Amino acid sequence: MPESTFSYDVCVIGGGGHVGLPFALICADSGLRTVIYDVDAEKVRRIRAGEMPFFEEGADEMLERTLASGRLTVEDRPEVMSECRFLVMIIGTPVDEHLNPSFAAIDRVLQKCWEHLRDGQVLILRSTVFPGTGQRIQRMLHTGGKRIAVACCPERVAQGHSLREFRELPQILSAFDAGTLAEVRGLFARFTPEFVEMEPLEAELCKLMTNAWRYIQFATVNQFYMLASDQGVDFERILHGCRHNYPRMAGMPGPGFAAGPCLVKDTMQLAAFSHNHFMLGHSAMLVNEGLPSHLVDLARKQIDLGDATAGILGMAFKAESDDPRDSLSYKLRKLLALEARAVLCTDPYVPDSSLVPLERVLAESDVLFVATPHRCYRSLTPPAGKVVIDIWNCLPPTSQEA
Ligand SMILES: NC(=O)c1ccc[n+]([C@@H]2O[C@H](COP(=O)([O-])OP(=O)(O)OC[C@H]3O[C@@H](n4cnc5c(N)ncnc54)[C@H](O)[C@@H]3O)[C@@H](O)[C@H]2O)c1
């Protein structure tokens, strides 16, 4: 890092979040003087106390180590930004009630930061943003008389595994001039071996297309699952036939809930960018968001739901996660609540006071839905006589199937 007049190298704006916090940890761990800035005072308190606010592989130990080293500082005062060379913005970028991108969050941050921005800083946009956002922010800064360079380096890690993936995956880097690009390359080179460099608009689209591609792949296989299961055909056998020793299908995913805070939201951002001509994206949303309802239909064919207690295993949006954001398990719960006598939900990781212990769900439910394929369910044998809807093929085969 070149000599500078800044007290800190990096400020992570939104540094208490699911991707901001691991990013701040990897920066501090690579020797950069790093500040977490977050508006959530409770998260700031917990992180300062050395407590991770959510599960992230390897993070507890790294948080303790970087705090002890003095290289990690945690702040809820925006003033701290003026002391930092690189400002890395990783706040949430939701879509609004019309499924259009909402610029409010980014605009709010900029308003809050404005008086603390200093000439010579580099603002790195790491949130997933609507294409053209980097250009818009750069224009706002320049029009407002700020000599601040903008870079767009979207985050691509899988939540929960970020610390490993920062060191393994190529980073997408872009900036509006070669000097800034060289500076961000120097920053990321502290922990990442490989880069893909492109123009800012390309980088923004690359991130959205990566997520939309995955979302569409999941939708394709989910639709295949619906076609087969509607006819009473075991989709697992088809999946095996498609993939077995057939390299062209090796990448075919299995069926399951495609949910969480990114995939659908980013597909809808791309749809908005295409002026709603991204037909594949919208179709994927209809399939993936329709899956809970399909599972309820499958159950209805086997049991009178009005007279049954339904149990849902897993409320996190993906396996081994404690994050329930935009989880389709909650959509399934809503649908079942309209029809079943009662609904009981469980998850070993999600902190939600409405959940009950697994043993109770197993004992009291007539029909069980495996909604999140947590590892702990892979050895679970439900009591005899229960209807089981297991789209993930997560539970072990019953003795009859084996
Ligand atoms: N979650 C993922 O797996 C993932 C992966 C890659 C990219 N992304 C993208 O990264 C971005 C962040 O996602 P996330 O899941 O970490 O969100 P998050 O909600 O977990 O974290 C955002 C953080 O920003 C803070 N924040 C909000 N407004 C702020 C402000 N004005 N000033 C300072 N801090 C503020 C919040 O308190 C929160 O701690 C999104 O654009 C998302 O699409 C997420």
Side-chain angles (χ1 to χ4, degrees):
M1 199 62 17
E3 280 298 310
S4 84
T5 57
F6 294 95
S7 318
Y8 298 101
D9 300 309
V10 178
C11 173
V12 183
I13 305 170
H18 287 83
V19 292
L21 180 49
F23 185 77
L25 292 180
I26 201 91
C27 286
D29 196 50
S30 70
L32 295 163
R33 297 162 302 167
T34 305
V35 184
I36 284 172
Y37 164 61
D38 203 291
V39 285
D40 186 330
E42 173 59 12
K43 267 190 204 161
V44 165
R45 184 196 63 73
R46 289 177 67 181
I47 299 166
R48 252 190 214 143
E51 190 190 327
M52 281 295 294
F54 47 82
F55 175 72
E56 179 69 39
E57 197 182 351
D60 296 280
E61 182 270 327
M62 199 184 274
L63 175 59
E64 193 183 322
R65 183 152 41 87
T66 48
L67 283 172
S69 71
R71 286 194 301 273
L72 185 68
T73 307
V74 193
E75 277 292 348
D76 54 8
R77 294 177 309 117
E79 294 80 15
V80 74
M81 278 185 256
S82 65
E83 301 168 46
C84 307
R85 172 89 177 95
F86 291 94
L87 304 173
V88 184
M89 192 193 287
I90 320 187
I91 56 155
T93 45
V95 286
D96 66 14
E97 68 277 27
H98 308 291
L99 300 178
N100 288 324
S102 164
F103 301 110
I106 288 187
D107 288 349
R108 254 197 317 272
V109 178
L110 283 175
Q111 272 168 19
K112 238 183 159 143
C113 306
W114 194 260
E115 59 179 304
H116 309 295
L117 298 178
R118 249 174 82 185
D119 286 356
Q121 289 179 315
V122 178
L123 174 63
I124 302 177
L125 300 176
R126 201 147 169 80
S127 291
T128 307
V129 295
F130 187 71
T133 299
Q135 177 84 65
R136 190 173 74 90
I137 291 178
Q138 202 211 25
R139 209 177 295 127
M140 276 167 67
L141 290 167
H142 285 197
T143 312
K146 304 277 186 194
R147 285 183 40 239
I148 292 179
V150 175
C152 303
C153 309
E155 182 64 82
R156 293 198 299 176
V157 289
Q159 192 178 313
H161 308 285
S162 315
L163 296 175
R164 179 170 43 81
E165 291 196 350
F166 283 134
R167 297 191 193 277
E168 290 174 357
L169 297 182
Q171 296 289 326
I172 292 175
L173 304 185
S174 75
F176 290 94
D177 63 87
T180 306
L181 188 60
E183 287 198 65
V184 294
R185 196 186 302 123
L187 177 75
F188 283 92
R190 306 287 293 230
F191 47 85
T192 297
E194 196 185 349
F195 308 112
V196 188
E197 299 182 356
M198 52 181 85
E199 295 299 319
L201 184 61
E202 292 168 348
E204 292 166 342
L205 281 168
C206 177
K207 168 66 198 187
L208 290 180
M209 287 176 179
T210 302
N211 276 2
W213 168 256
R214 284 167 47 70
Y215 193 63
I216 291 167
Q217 279 189 314
F218 293 138
T220 306
V221 86
N222 282 337
Q223 183 141 42
F224 291 166
Y225 171 85
M226 291 185 195
L227 288 172
S229 55
D230 253 346
Q231 301 301 320
V233 178
D234 181 351
F235 185 66
E236 270 312 303
R237 294 173 61 81
I238 299 176
L239 201 58
H240 175 69
C242 289
R243 290 167 170 167
H244 184 67
N245 283 346
Y246 195 69
R248 279 188 287 280
M249 292 298 274
M252 184 184 189
F257 284 167
C262 289
L263 295 187
V264 63
K265 179 257 296 182
D266 293 344
T267 305
M268 290 305 101
Q269 297 213 67
L270 206 48
F273 182 68
S274 74
H275 304 290
N276 295 317
H277 288 120
F278 183 30
M279 304 308 173
L280 279 173
H282 274 128
S283 302
M285 181 184 68
L286 295 177
V287 173
N288 287 331
E289 289 289 312
L291 195 51
S293 166
H294 177 78
L295 299 187
V296 175
D297 284 347
L298 290 182
R300 209 186 285 114
K301 285 181 184 162
Q302 300 180 60
I303 193 168
D304 175 4
L305 279 176
D307 201 26
T309 294
I312 302 180
L313 309 185
M315 301 305 285
F317 84 83
K318 65 176 182 177
E320 313 315 315
S321 167
D322 57 1
D323 189 350
R325 290 181 300 166
D326 299 305
S327 165
L328 285 172
S329 303
Y330 283 85
K331 188 166 189 172
L332 178 63
R333 175 162 90 174
K334 267 190 190 164
L335 291 171
L336 288 168
L338 294 173
E339 235 176 297
R341 187 178 56 205
V343 188
L344 297 173
C345 304
T346 189
D347 192 293
Y349 309 118
V350 171
D352 174 343
S353 59
S354 71
L355 307 187
V356 300
L358 172 65
E359 295 68 33
R360 183 169 162 211
V361 176
L362 292 178
E364 295 182 24
S365 302
D366 305 295
V367 51
L368 290 165
F369 294 82
V370 183
T372 315
H374 288 313
R375 215 173 290 130
C376 58
Y377 300 146
R378 293 193 182 276
S379 52
L380 193 77
T381 307
K386 312 278 179 188
V387 171
V388 177
I389 308 289
D390 178 13
I391 183 172
W392 300 95
N393 197 30
C394 171
L395 302 187
T398 60
S399 50
Q400 265 179 336
E401 291 165 332

